[in-house]
Amino acid sequence: MNFDRIVCFDLEMCCWNDGRTSRTGEIIEIGVAELDLNTGRIVRRAQHYVRPEHDEISPFCSELTGIKPDLIEKNGKPLATILRSIEQKFGGRHKIYAAWGHDDRILHKECVAKELKMPFREYLNLATLFKLQRHVTNKRLGQRAAMEIAGVEWEGRQHSGYVDAYNLARLAATMFCEKEPLTDDK
């Protein structure tokens, strides 16, 4: 197990808000950002569009995520292909993966339904870890609010898996690294 890196990820799923109960469906995007815990540097990022097998992207979902059906049609790949790519590029079962909340459960449920193996074994729920810190008094907060508490300004469009994973890695750096988080650009 590599304890020098955390692979932060974020999922975007098909979603609807059409007057019935709000719900989510299949994964349509996986954003990934790898944090080097020794340097505080985000060393690698990836954005993967996933072609859903059963769901369609609603207008509400497109508005929320910025992901339109034609984007998925052009760039989407099957979930199995995406998971293999993430394992190859980010180390799979040899790395610790992290997300804000229970994205591991969402991914696991979809992997079971599609008879796929999970791309990782070790998982950290950064929402829980952040809320356990003594200075955090509001235990019902989202990632963006946590970043404000940590003094990290949000960058980019929220509800983009690529952007959300990047921002999560920046937040994780404040929790686990001594240095200010850096990207390859800095």
Side-chain angles (χ1 to χ4, degrees):
M1 183 63 56
N2 183 334
F3 293 99
D4 296 325
R5 303 264 175 112
I6 294 177
V7 180
C8 296
F9 72 98
D10 185 76
L11 306 175
E12 299 301 327
M13 287 83 62
C14 290
C15 52
W16 301 268
N17 187 5
D18 55 8
R20 297 175 284 176
T21 304
S22 296
R23 56 192 167 87
T24 59
E26 288 180 274
I27 297 166
I28 55 173
E29 182 191 8
I30 302 176
V32 187
E34 185 172 359
L35 174 65
D36 182 318
L37 296 173
N38 294 315
T39 65
R41 184 176 291 274
I42 297 168
V43 295
R44 191 177 353 207
R45 295 173 68 188
Q47 179 176 38
H48 299 281
Y49 291 111
V50 182
R51 184 175 293 130
E53 294 176 14
H54 307 288
D55 289 333
E56 293 181 12
I57 299 170
S58 70
F60 170 76
C61 186
S62 290
E63 185 179 320
L64 181 68
T65 66
I67 300 170
K68 295 180 172 47
D70 59 331
L71 178 65
I72 294 296
E73 185 62 37
K74 181 178 178 184
N75 298 307
K77 294 188 172 86
L79 182 60
T81 302
I82 300 302
L83 295 179
R84 278 193 302 275
S85 177
I86 290 171
E87 271 193 283
Q88 290 170 353
K89 292 178 183 170
F90 291 91
R93 298 179 179 276
H94 303 290
K95 296 273 179 70
I96 299 168
Y97 282 67
W100 187 265
H102 299 291
D103 280 12
D104 64 317
R105 293 181 189 171
I106 295 166
L107 181 58
H108 181 263
K109 182 179 176 184
E110 194 160 328
C111 284
V112 167
K114 295 180 178 179
E115 299 180 353
L116 304 172
K117 73 174 187 169
M118 283 288 282
F120 54 84
R121 288 187 190 139
E122 296 293 327
Y123 174 77
L124 299 174
N125 180 335
L126 294 183
T128 299
L129 292 174
F130 188 83
K131 294 170 191 177
L132 286 172
Q133 297 178 91
R134 293 190 194 287
H135 71 279
V136 178
T137 56
N138 180 0
K139 305 301 182 187
R140 297 183 52 84
L141 52 87
Q143 179 182 334
R144 193 167 188 152
M147 290 181 67
E148 288 177 22
I149 291 169
V152 180
E153 188 174 329
W154 187 274
E155 291 182 19
R157 182 189 207 280
Q158 195 169 5
H159 299 298
S160 157
Y162 184 69
V163 170
D164 292 357
Y166 168 71
N167 281 305
L168 185 61
R170 295 173 62 232
L171 178 61
T174 69
M175 296 168 64
F176 302 115
C177 302
E178 291 186 32
K179 295 183 178 183
E180 169 111 4
L182 300 173
T183 62
D184 289 333
D185 318 345
K186 295 182 181 177

